[in-house]
Amino acid sequence: MKGVIDCERHILLTSLDQVTARLDPAWVTRMTESEFRLPPAGPHAGVQVEGAPVVGGTDPAEVAASLDPDDGEVVLIPAQGIVTSGWLNIATATTFVRAVNDHVVAEWLHADPRFRFAIVVAPHDPGQAAAEIRRLGDNPAAAAVCMPLMAINMGQVHYHPIYEAAAELGLPVMVHPGGSEGNVVGPPVLGGVGPRTPEETFSLLPQVAQANLSSLLFDGIFSRFPDLQVIFAGFGFAWAPPVLWRADTEWRGLRVEVPWVADPPSTYAAEHVKLVVDAAAELHPEFSSVAAMLPEGMLLYGSDAPYDDQGVRGRLEGLPPEVAERLLRDNAKSCLRLGSLDRG
Amino acid sequence: MSAGATSTAARGRPLVRHYVGTVEEFEPDRFRTFEIEGRPVGVVRTAAGFFACRNRCPHQGADICAGAVSVGTMVPSQPMQYVYSADRCIVACPWHRWEFDLRDGEGIQGITKKRLVTYAVEVDEDGRVAVLMRGRKGAGS
């Protein structure tokens, strides 16, 4: 299929030098003479998993060469730039992501005209995050904003400056697991007493997305920011239909509690929310049936390379052509900022 | 409670006037329920006048007339603000709090396309309250 848009392709830094090369001497000193280490590259970057090292995603020319000539845009997301939600030093997190963004712009974008990037931001200080979005938002290759979440639901006022900056620049806000969900203070908690293994963590990650989608809808974020688009990446999609069903059902009876939600919540989701199909784990034999339970147009394709490129694209290309074209290409065009790279 | 009836000529099936009591017998904003021609019907006296409806919520069939009656509800607003509009007459189902406008049976704010069945009510000069219902099919003309 022509023009497939990969909404979530991770790239990796291999050395702390790639970060410190973009920093002033004070921060070079802080990062090299302290116990600071470049976050590991494992899937997802914040979760330690024993096993084979991740291969790929480190060389711009190699990644460019791996693309099919007919492919469309590829959104590069530096995996180590979205692990900061568990960090306690806000200044370090903010400075680190700024350097990572500068590395991506300087070292990756020239390798292929289809390369786009997500501006990664640390969610701790929304003012600083908004400033970073505005600092790089004029770059025509910026297609989205990407961040991990805090233990603050997305409907809360904490994130408003980020939404405001992103919406102002026509950039969707993509949220992605940061790897420390349920493990430390700061990132969102997971149910029960918390998972003990990476497998359990990955299995329960949809809880975070469910809680945050509900929060976005019932806190009226899309009434407050009518131009905002939100993308859930790395959380799968099969968790969403039951949340939307319940949200609509509860809204019918308890509408007076949230009168700013003037229409059934699922109608806001259909207009403002996208979910990235990025994991082989979600490709159950009944995939199509589950996907059909969502409002049309909500699903995007992400390779999740180099982590999870296990035939997801092939499975999606096997869907009926009109469904595959929407999922692999057209839905992304309606959400990502994919303008011409020519300035002016 | 049953109701006495007189018949009035109308298009199609006859419109039947069913007397259900006098004005004084109705407490404000509290439904009284009746069985009229085998149908469960509730009648309520409000500040905006008398209303009648079928005592079945279109959602799951609850006795909706056991629900709260109010003159208004929350209307669409900016996030985290509440705006109450007191220009309606609303019943809220006791089961799931679905709200319907007693004037026309419509679900409030598009919560459902199903309508609550409503009936016209007349109060004559003697203070007698009547529900106007079309007779059942084949029930004379």
Side-chain angles (χ1 to χ4, degrees):
Chain A
M1 195 181 125
K2 289 189 174 181
V4 170
I5 295 172
D6 184 349
C7 299
E8 184 198 359
R9 186 172 191 113
H10 296 294
I11 57 174
L12 301 166
L13 283 72
T14 55
S15 163
L16 187 58
D17 294 342
Q18 293 168 315
V19 177
T20 55
R22 312 283 163 195
L23 297 176
D24 66 37
W27 276 103
V28 173
T29 301
R30 274 188 60 75
M31 288 193 175
T32 57
E33 296 184 10
S34 68
E35 291 187 353
F36 186 86
R37 296 288 179 272
L38 183 68
H44 288 285
V47 179
Q48 302 287 341
V49 183
E50 292 178 10
V54 178
V55 176
T58 58
D59 184 322
E62 195 177 287
V63 172
S66 73
L67 303 181
D68 188 287
D70 285 336
D71 281 352
E73 291 87 347
V74 176
V75 180
L76 306 176
I77 302 168
Q80 290 129 314
I82 52 174
V83 302
T84 55
S85 59
W87 297 12
L88 297 179
N89 189 318
I90 297 172
T92 300
T94 302
T95 304
F96 176 77
V97 296
R98 189 183 305 134
V100 169
N101 284 326
D102 286 342
H103 168 78
V104 174
V105 170
E107 304 297 335
W108 279 83
L109 297 182
H110 62 78
D112 194 294
R114 294 167 293 181
F115 280 174
R116 301 293 192 272
F117 76 110
I119 303 169
V120 291
V121 297
H124 316 63
D125 180 338
Q128 295 261 26
E132 180 67 356
I133 293 166
R134 291 193 173 95
R135 183 177 77 89
L136 293 171
D138 286 338
N139 188 319
V145 171
C146 188
M147 67 177 184
L149 291 166
M150 306 290 290
I152 301 170
N153 280 346
M154 291 182 76
Q156 295 188 28
V157 69
H158 174 88
Y159 295 109
H160 285 188
I162 296 174
Y163 300 153
E164 184 178 12
E168 178 185 302
L169 289 155
L171 295 165
V173 173
M174 179 187 290
V175 291
H176 189 288
S180 42
E181 284 77 8
N183 289 352
V184 297
V185 175
V189 296
L190 292 170
V193 294
R196 294 171 187 270
T197 62
E199 290 77 5
E200 197 176 357
T201 298
F202 294 142
S203 299
L204 295 176
L205 273 177
Q207 292 180 346
V208 173
Q210 289 180 321
N212 280 284
L213 174 59
S214 167
S215 172
L216 285 166
L217 299 174
F218 284 115
D219 282 331
I221 288 298
F222 301 117
S223 298
R224 198 181 288 274
F225 300 100
D227 297 326
L228 180 66
Q229 293 281 315
V230 170
I231 301 170
F232 287 88
F235 294 99
F237 74 97
W239 52 269
V243 174
L244 296 179
W245 299 339
R246 290 196 70 127
D248 282 0
T249 300
E250 297 301 334
W251 174 81
R252 289 189 177 92
L254 300 173
R255 183 198 62 79
V256 293
E257 302 291 337
V258 286
W260 46 86
V261 185
D263 296 303
S266 66
T267 60
Y268 294 90
E271 194 175 335
H272 294 278
V273 178
K274 298 280 190 289
L275 315 172
V276 180
V277 181
D278 59 2
E282 291 261 314
L283 293 182
H284 187 274
E286 294 298 325
F287 162 81
S288 297
S289 304
V290 179
M293 295 173 189
L294 285 167
E296 196 173 297
M298 281 187 72
L299 297 182
L300 308 176
Y301 160 68
S303 68
D304 202 27
Y307 295 121
D308 201 4
D309 194 10
Q310 299 170 22
V312 174
R313 176 169 169 171
R315 283 287 305 276
L316 300 181
E317 285 181 323
L319 295 170
E322 66 279 8
V323 177
E325 285 169 7
R326 282 200 299 271
L327 211 160
L328 286 155
R329 185 186 60 212
D330 299 343
N331 293 347
K333 286 183 177 173
S334 72
C335 175
L336 298 170
R337 199 183 75 179
L338 297 173
S340 164
L341 293 187
D342 297 330
R343 285 183 181 276
Chain B
M1 195 177 295
S2 60
T6 60
S7 184
T8 301
R11 280 183 304 171
R13 296 195 300 278
L15 195 61
V16 181
R17 184 174 284 109
H18 299 271
Y19 287 98
V20 291
T22 60
V23 170
E24 296 74 30
E25 290 173 325
F26 287 84
E27 279 183 57
D29 299 331
R30 291 197 65 173
F31 270 101
R32 292 177 67 202
T33 57
F34 307 90
E35 186 171 316
I36 302 177
E37 291 194 359
R39 288 174 284 200
V41 175
V43 182
V44 64
R45 173 189 178 189
T46 76
F50 275 87
F51 297 94
C53 67
R54 192 174 173 88
N55 189 15
R56 288 285 179 269
C57 180
H59 178 212
Q60 291 189 350
D63 291 348
I64 194 168
C65 296
V69 175
S70 59
V71 296
T73 187
M74 298 294 176
V75 293
S77 57
Q78 290 300 303
M80 306 306 147
Q81 293 178 17
Y82 292 90
V83 179
Y84 190 81
S85 175
D87 61 351
R88 304 176 186 208
C89 198
I90 285 172
V91 60
C93 180
W95 276 11
H96 300 101
R97 208 170 153 182
W98 285 28
E99 293 177 317
F100 294 89
D101 194 321
L102 285 167
R103 295 171 302 186
D104 55 16
E106 274 201 24
I108 299 300
Q109 201 59 37
I111 55 168
T112 178
K113 289 176 181 169
K114 295 176 184 172
R115 279 176 178 244
L116 177 67
V117 176
T118 57
Y119 306 103
V121 180
E122 279 184 1
V123 180
D124 67 19
E125 48 195 35
D126 297 325
R128 295 192 304 165
V129 180
V131 177
L132 273 58
M133 294 171 62
R134 299 222 175 261
R136 284 192 180 281
K137 255 183 186 174
S141 58

